[in-house]
């Protein structure tokens, strides 16, 4: 069975909620809060107790209903909240009015200055909350809309308030139709109720179709319950997922009775539903952010493990590379011009069989020999370190697989939070987008500077500055004293940092060459055949006082020669 769609907070639900809110009329607005950027809560003292009326212009969760608890407040009052407190706090709520049968509500508030209207427009991404002063002019809004954003209906201060242009002329208000008009509509609608009735959602149109299948008397009974507000609120919950699909003013024919759970009020029903929806939305957003981050981190570790495996395997061939270099020096003089292979006797075997050695025709005999000697040195170097690094990365990869499994199987946001904290603590999120864009430090760990993050074949993090300001930031704010710092020799280019965890001596040559190649590729010499790159520890690099961005002096350097365009 397909997952059922959520029931919308439509005009019918809004009308039923507002009928339950009528006891608030005549009450005093004694406090106003703004717990979320697009949500306000009016605390109304009526009938000898406090009531909390929540209004949200959130594109995904636009709604208006009472809530059972006073919400927390914003640490610093936003401008819209300040305006509401200045103009209508302490006022009397004189009327709660739904405009037609649309998702627009007008809250009338009597103050010493006159009557203000708080206009609530619950229309998806166009939702808004607008304070209109006694002169009919816009005093403030939770969302300002410039003419560039909407030429049809900009929302600007001191302009006359007008209803949204989305209201369709000619549609009938179902609350004002007589029995005869309902019969005529039943005979001609042919199931297309939205073409005749104002503010009808697709869900309620389908409900009318289901009701009308029982004949006109069945339809009229449904209308009577609507006219006289004889609500029987229910929360509809999917028993397979245990998620609330929505709420409705009375039991619906579109879901089995076992899915529908009675509530004392529709306000409390929708409070339950939206609490769950928001909680699940946050959990899904966190899960959908964690999963690609963890997968990317796991893939990086797997690639690093493959590189280390190749390096360890090459270590087994060190003697062979050494032999190739020696044979090239011994028999290279026999090579024909443009030869691609050398045939030479293998003197390490008693019968001295002839072996074939690949040759690069663009290099000299000495360069070809040196290439094999370098391969032999690299194969022998850091074998113990590589094996240890392989063990560390294997443990991380296994931990990442476990974290992925836990993330996929998590049922609540509480289940995901420890995974998030572990991912942050272990650096699994450094190569990925941040989880909370609202906070600057988490949105960008480099505070907006253009710094790219790479993972070396041995699993070390390599940072590359993309401009002079980023280079300065890398040098002065990011790099630690025992991190490796690289830069092209006698040229302009990026600063490159290898994070060493305070163990620079354990960084394999392969990682140094990887970082040096990045430095060459991000320099003015990127198109050269061979580029020399200096490297030294960060503690030997300094920026002179008053020097331009990106300028640095360094000592204790060593030099690597790399090919920027080599695969």
């Amino acid at each position: 069975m397909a997952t059922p769609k959520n029931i919308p907070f439509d005009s019918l639900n809004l009308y039923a909620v507002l009928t339950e809110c009528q006891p608030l009329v005549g009450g005093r607005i004694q406090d106003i809060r703004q717990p979320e950027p697009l949500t306000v809560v009016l605390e109304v003292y009526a009938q000898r107790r406090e009531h909390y009326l929540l209004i949200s212009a959130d594109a995904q969760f636009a709604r208006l209903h009472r809530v059972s608890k006073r919400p927390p407040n914003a640490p610093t009052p936003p401008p819209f909240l300040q305006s509401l407190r200045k103009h209508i706090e302490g006022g009397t709520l004189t009327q709660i009015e739904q405009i037609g049968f649309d998702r627009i509500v007008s809250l009338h508030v009597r103050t010493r200055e006159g009557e203000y209207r708080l206009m609530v427009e619950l229309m998806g991404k166009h939702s808004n909350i607008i304070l209109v002063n006694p002169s009919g002019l816009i005093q403030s809004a939770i969302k300002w809309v410039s003419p560039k954003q909407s030429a049809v209906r900009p929302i600007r201060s001191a302009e006359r308030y007008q209803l949204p242009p989305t209201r369709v002329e000619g549609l009938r208000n179902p609350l004002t139709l007589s029995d005869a008009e309902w019969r005529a509509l039943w005979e001609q609608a042919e199931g297309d109720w939205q073409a005749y009735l104002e503010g009808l959602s697709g869900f309620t149109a389908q409900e009318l179709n289901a009701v009308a299948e029982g004949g006109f008397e069945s339809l009229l009974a449904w209308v009577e319950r609507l006219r006289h507000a004889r609500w029987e609120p229910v929360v509809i919950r999917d028993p397979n997922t245990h998620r609330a699909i929505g709420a409705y003013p009375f039991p619906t024919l579109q879901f089995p009775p076992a899915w529908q759970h009675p509530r004392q009020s529709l306000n409390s029903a929708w409070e339950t539903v939206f609490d769950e929806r928001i909680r699940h939305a946050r959990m899904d957003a966190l899960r959908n952010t964690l999963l690609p981050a963890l997968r990317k981190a796991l893939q990086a570790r797997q690639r690093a493990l493959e590189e280390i495996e190749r390096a360890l395997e090459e270590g087994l061939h060190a003697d062979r590379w050494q032999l190739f270099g020696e044979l090239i020096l011994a028999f290279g003089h026999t090579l024909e011009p443009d030869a691609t292979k050398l045939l030479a006797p293998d003197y390490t075997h008693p019968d001295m069989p002839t072996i074939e050695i690949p040759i690069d025709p663009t290099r000299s005999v000495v360069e070809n020999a040196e290439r094999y000697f370098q391969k032999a040195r690299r194969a022998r170097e850091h074998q113990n370190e590589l094996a240890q690094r392989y063990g560390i990365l294997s443990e991380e990869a296994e931990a990442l697989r476990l974290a992925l499994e836990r993330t996929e199987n998590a049922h609540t946001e509480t289940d995901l939070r420890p995974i998030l904290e572990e991912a942050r603590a272990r650096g699994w999120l450094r190569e990925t987008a941040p989880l909370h864009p609202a906070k600057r430090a988490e949105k960008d760990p480099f505070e907006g500077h253009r710094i790219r993050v790479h993972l070396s074949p041995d699993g070390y993090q390599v940072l590359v500055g993309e401009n002079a300001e980023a280079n300065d930031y890398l040098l002065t704010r990011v790099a630690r004293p025992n991190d490796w710092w690289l830069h092209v020799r006698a040229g302009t280019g990026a600063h490159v940092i290898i994070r060493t965890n305070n163990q620079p001596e354990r960084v394999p040559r392969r990682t140094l060459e990887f970082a040096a190649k990045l430095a060459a590729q991000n320099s003015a010499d990127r198109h050269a055949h061979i580029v020399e790159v200096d490297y030294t520890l960060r503690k030997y690099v300094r920026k002179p006082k008053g020097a331009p961005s990106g300028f640095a002096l360094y000592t204790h350097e060593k030099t690597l020669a790399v090919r920027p365009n080599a695969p």
Side-chain angles (χ1 to χ4, degrees):
M1 179 179 177
T3 302
K5 293 182 179 180
N6 283 338
I7 297 172
F9 186 77
D10 59 7
S11 296
L12 173 58
N13 278 288
L14 178 60
Y15 173 71
V17 162
L18 294 180
T19 61
E20 293 181 351
C21 289
Q22 290 306 310
L24 275 63
V25 173
R28 178 177 176 271
I29 300 175
Q30 61 183 20
D31 187 26
I32 306 175
R33 297 179 169 232
Q34 191 170 347
E36 301 288 343
L38 297 175
T39 301
V40 296
V41 176
L42 308 182
E43 181 179 317
V44 182
Y45 186 80
Q47 299 186 350
R48 299 184 179 181
R49 70 183 188 91
E50 290 83 10
H51 305 264
Y52 306 104
L53 184 62
L54 182 146
I55 308 168
S56 179
D58 185 279
Q60 189 177 0
F61 305 112
R63 63 201 189 277
L64 181 155
H65 58 79
R66 293 205 316 253
V67 292
S68 55
K69 296 179 181 179
R70 174 189 292 170
N73 209 353
T76 303
F80 184 62
L81 178 58
Q82 294 180 38
S83 176
L84 293 182
R85 286 177 171 174
K86 177 180 178 181
H87 296 290
I88 66 172
E89 190 170 274
T92 301
L93 184 60
T94 60
Q95 186 180 2
I96 302 176
E97 173 192 14
Q98 184 176 12
I99 306 301
F101 201 67
D102 213 338
R103 291 169 296 166
I104 305 172
V105 178
S106 176
L107 303 178
H108 297 251
V109 182
R110 186 177 66 244
T111 71
R112 294 179 180 178
E113 302 172 16
E115 186 175 84
Y116 280 84
R117 287 179 295 152
L118 190 61
M119 302 302 301
V120 181
E121 302 171 358
L122 306 177
M123 298 180 172
K125 67 179 182 179
H126 301 294
S127 298
N128 211 337
I129 308 171
I130 303 169
L131 181 63
V132 180
N133 66 25
S135 301
L137 304 180
I138 296 174
Q139 185 70 42
S140 56
I142 206 164
K143 293 181 187 176
W144 293 114
V145 181
S146 69
K148 188 174 182 180
Q149 293 172 299
S150 174
V152 177
R153 187 177 179 252
I155 304 297
R156 295 183 293 189
S157 178
E159 291 196 355
R160 185 158 297 279
Y161 174 80
Q162 295 180 340
L163 289 172
T166 53
R167 303 192 68 227
V168 180
E169 297 297 331
L171 296 183
R172 309 289 299 277
N173 185 338
L175 297 172
T176 63
L177 295 180
S178 65
D179 290 358
E181 288 171 321
W182 271 107
R183 177 177 286 278
L185 188 59
W186 173 67
E187 292 173 349
Q188 71 183 58
E190 297 180 350
D192 190 9
W193 299 96
Q194 289 176 294
Y196 298 91
L197 296 177
E198 179 183 17
L200 219 60
S201 69
F203 181 85
T204 296
Q206 291 173 5
E207 184 69 15
L208 282 175
N209 282 332
V211 171
E213 287 180 2
F216 178 68
E217 293 303 322
S218 175
L219 176 63
L220 194 58
W222 188 91
V223 171
E224 282 298 310
R225 286 198 293 178
L226 173 64
R227 287 171 176 167
H228 300 288
R230 293 201 294 265
W231 313 126
E232 300 175 46
V234 291
V235 169
I236 296 93
R237 190 178 297 279
D238 185 343
N240 300 311
T241 63
H242 305 290
R243 289 196 177 191
I245 300 169
Y248 212 58
F250 19 68
T252 169
L253 299 178
Q254 299 179 64
F255 292 101
W259 290 35
Q260 305 183 52
H261 308 276
R263 289 292 185 271
Q264 289 187 344
S265 75
L266 190 60
N267 279 268
S268 65
W270 275 111
E271 180 182 11
T272 298
V273 170
F274 276 113
D275 282 350
E276 285 192 26
R277 283 185 183 176
I278 293 170
R279 187 168 65 251
H280 285 302
R282 287 175 177 167
M283 184 187 73
D284 291 343
L286 181 56
R287 191 203 310 274
N288 293 337
T289 306
L290 267 174
L291 284 175
L294 294 176
R295 287 179 183 134
K296 186 174 181 180
L298 177 59
Q299 289 170 359
R301 271 69 181 173
Q302 289 172 333
R303 287 194 299 268
L305 286 169
E306 291 171 1
E307 290 289 339
I308 294 176
E309 286 173 356
R310 283 194 287 269
L312 290 171
E313 186 178 350
E314 283 186 3
L316 303 176
H317 302 294
D319 292 341
R320 187 168 183 81
W321 305 141
Q322 183 72 26
L323 173 64
F324 280 9
E326 293 172 355
L327 291 175
I328 290 173
L329 289 178
F331 297 96
H333 64 279
T334 65
L335 284 170
E336 297 290 336
D338 299 326
T340 59
K341 60 184 178 181
L342 170 67
L343 299 178
D346 182 357
Y347 57 79
T348 62
H349 288 268
D351 52 355
M352 298 183 66
T354 299
I355 59 175
E356 184 178 292
I357 304 172
I359 295 294
D360 184 350
T362 64
R363 301 187 183 192
S364 67
V365 170
V366 173
E367 286 176 337
N368 271 286
E370 181 59 26
R371 183 164 65 97
Y372 283 109
F373 289 147
Q374 286 181 359
K375 290 182 71 173
R377 284 195 297 270
R378 284 199 299 267
R380 292 191 182 102
E381 285 177 352
H382 306 299
Q383 289 298 297
N384 291 334
E385 290 85 349
L386 282 174
Q388 187 175 7
R389 187 71 180 166
Y390 187 86
I392 293 172
L393 286 173
S394 296
E395 291 178 3
E396 276 203 34
E398 185 58 34
L400 278 162
R401 291 188 190 96
L402 179 60
L404 273 168
E405 182 179 348
R406 289 164 55 203
T407 302
E408 290 168 347
N409 297 328
H411 296 293
T412 67
E413 187 177 357
T414 305
D415 296 335
L416 292 173
R417 285 293 164 186
I419 305 173
L420 172 63
E421 296 306 319
E422 180 185 8
R424 283 177 175 159
R426 301 185 70 160
W428 295 340
L429 302 183
R430 291 176 184 170
E431 304 97 32
T432 64
L435 290 178
H436 296 288
K439 297 182 180 179
R440 181 72 178 184
E442 293 176 0
K443 178 180 179 181
D444 187 344
F446 305 119
E447 299 181 357
H449 293 87
R450 295 178 57 185
I451 295 172
R452 282 182 288 112
V453 182
H454 299 264
L455 202 65
S456 81
D458 305 299
Y460 285 85
Q461 197 176 76
V462 182
L463 310 178
V464 181
E466 293 189 341
N467 55 35
E469 290 73 21
N471 288 337
D472 268 3
Y473 186 82
L474 263 182
L475 181 65
T476 60
R477 299 286 298 278
V478 176
R480 297 291 179 262
N482 281 326
D483 287 344
W484 286 111
W485 176 89
L486 300 91
H487 194 277
V488 291
R489 185 177 184 84
T492 58
H495 291 213
V496 177
I497 296 294
I498 303 173
R499 284 179 160 168
T500 67
N501 295 321
N502 208 33
Q503 295 178 314
E505 71 283 352
R506 302 188 66 174
V507 175
R509 183 180 180 86
R510 180 187 297 267
T511 289
L512 285 168
E513 291 177 345
F514 174 84
K517 189 173 180 180
L518 288 173
Q521 291 171 343
N522 290 273
S523 73
D525 300 328
R526 65 178 65 91
H527 300 299
H529 185 58
I530 294 178
V531 177
E532 290 188 328
V533 177
D534 288 342
Y535 67 99
T536 186
L537 294 178
R538 162 62 185 88
K539 60 187 175 184
Y540 300 128
V541 184
R542 66 182 181 88
K543 178 181 178 179
K545 187 175 181 179
S549 296
F551 184 82
L553 299 176
Y554 55 94
T555 59
H556 297 74
E557 73 275 11
K558 297 179 182 179
T559 304
L560 290 169
V562 295
R563 297 172 182 265
N565 302 313

